[in-house]
Amino acid sequence: MISIKKYAAIDIGSNAMRLLITNIIEQPDRETQFNKSALIRVPIRLGQDAFTVGEISEENIDRMIDAMKAFKLLMKVYKVERYKACATSAMREAYNGKEVTKIILEQSAVDIEIIDGKSEASIIASSDLHSFIKTDQTYLYVDVGGGSTEFSLFSSGKMIASKSFKNGTVRLLNNMVNDIVWQEIEKWIKANTAEYDNVTLIGSGGNINKLFKMSGKLQDKPLSFLYLNSQYQYLSSLSYEQRIAELGMNTDRADVIIPATRIYLNAMKWSGARQLFVPKIGLSDGIVKALYYGKI
């Protein structure tokens, strides 16, 4: 007898907000399946507010309310049984972040939880990550967001270390990441990967997904350091307008993709990784799984 449940996750990031609706398939004596039913992305760059002036603007509060009302209606149409809404770096740092969540709750009936970097990394690890990790290998998982980047090291199938750094694409665009932060990341990666001979990167986030799509590779094939570096040089040689007109990038992707690529390249360099796998997983997937398994 097959049972189908519908769960949803709302991920309120520094660069965009996402609604993921998932069909959860339960069958006797079989592993539970999580199949994506719909993914809606709204490019509200909250990080531009939070990291530059320290608060979410009235305009973006109104846009968030409209987005949450729309998400709520979509979840009703899709007959979603349970959902969880999580906000990350931008809402964490905006001094009116908690006030904004109260306004949104009153206006849209969507209850948003602001999570810290450690919780974010833990939720992401709850996603389908385990299915990509072989027990005899070592992986550095890198999730690049607009406000922060989460690093998690896995070896022998277990998480060895995890840390969140205030280094994200929106921060980099606004020149808000100094050399000290880069040095801290380098030190952490080198210290935690030193004892392992072969480290493979696993990347997540909209930017690495876009780069992977541009490569034309099959889902189970990795990107090389050389490919990523050549793409970085190529994209950097184009203007913002050219990336939109000639490569068909969204306006909110065409600028952040370059600093994102820089983070992945440095992570590969400092860990000694030569390959980067890009499974389609992220915070939204992790929220659904954590909700299903009672971890949040």
Side-chain angles (χ1 to χ4, degrees), residues 161-179:
S162 182
K163 193 169 178 63
S164 176
F165 291 90
K166 289 183 179 181
N167 186 351
T169 57
V170 179
R171 284 189 205 274
L172 286 166
L173 281 179
N174 286 282
N175 297 313
M176 299 182 71
V177 181
N178 60 34
D179 289 343

Side-chain angles (χ1 to χ4, degrees), residues 11-14 86-93 114-115 120 283:
D11 167 13
I12 301 161
S14 303
C86 294
T88 56
S89 188
M91 290 284 279
R92 277 199 296 267
E93 294 190 34
I114 300 174
I115 59 173
E120 187 175 350
L283 182 62

Side-chain angles (χ1 to χ4, degrees), residues 73-244:
L73 282 170
L74 282 167
M75 288 191 290
K76 182 181 178 182
V77 171
Y78 275 90
K79 296 184 178 180
V80 168
E81 301 166 40
R82 295 183 67 196
Y83 78 92
K84 178 80 174 178
C86 294
T88 56
S89 188
M91 290 284 279
R92 277 199 296 267
E93 294 190 34
Y95 80 81
N96 62 341
K98 288 186 178 179
E99 180 188 341
V100 172
T101 63
K102 289 178 183 177
I103 294 169
I104 289 172
L105 179 59
E106 291 169 2
Q107 297 285 328
S108 68
V110 174
D111 190 8
I112 299 168
E113 180 182 351
I114 300 174
I115 59 173
D116 59 26
K118 189 175 181 181
S119 298
E120 187 175 350
S122 177
I123 291 171
I124 292 168
S126 299
S127 66
D128 281 332
L129 200 54
H130 73 277
S131 63
F132 299 94
I133 292 176
K134 297 177 182 177
T135 54
D136 61 342
Q137 294 183 24
T138 302
Y139 300 88
L140 179 62
Y141 178 77
V142 185
D143 180 63
V144 176
S148 63
T149 297
E150 275 63 50
F151 297 89
S152 300
L153 184 70
F154 293 85
S155 188
S156 302
K158 297 178 181 179
M159 185 189 288
I160 306 299
S162 182
K163 193 169 178 63
S164 176
F165 291 90
K166 289 183 179 181
N167 186 351
T169 57
V170 179
R171 284 189 205 274
L172 286 166
L173 281 179
N174 286 282
N175 297 313
M176 299 182 71
V177 181
N178 60 34
D179 289 343
I180 294 171
V181 176
W182 283 110
Q183 288 164 12
E184 287 175 350
I185 295 172
E186 180 180 3
K187 184 179 178 182
W188 187 89
I189 291 175
K190 286 183 175 179
N192 284 281
T193 60
E195 64 181 277
Y196 304 102
D197 293 329
N198 297 303
V199 177
T200 299
L201 236 69
I202 297 178
S204 75
N207 292 293
I208 198 66
N209 284 328
K210 179 63 177 177
L211 285 164
F212 186 83
K213 188 176 180 180
M214 288 167 62
S215 75
K217 285 181 174 285
L218 296 174
Q219 198 63 52
D220 61 344
K221 301 298 181 183
L223 299 179
S224 68
F225 179 87
L226 288 174
Y227 171 81
L228 206 60
N229 189 49
S230 67
Q231 284 298 96
Y232 179 71
Q233 301 300 330
Y234 170 60
L235 291 170
S236 299
S237 72
L238 301 177
S239 68
Y240 172 70
E241 290 77 12
Q242 285 176 315
R243 286 176 229 132
I244 295 169

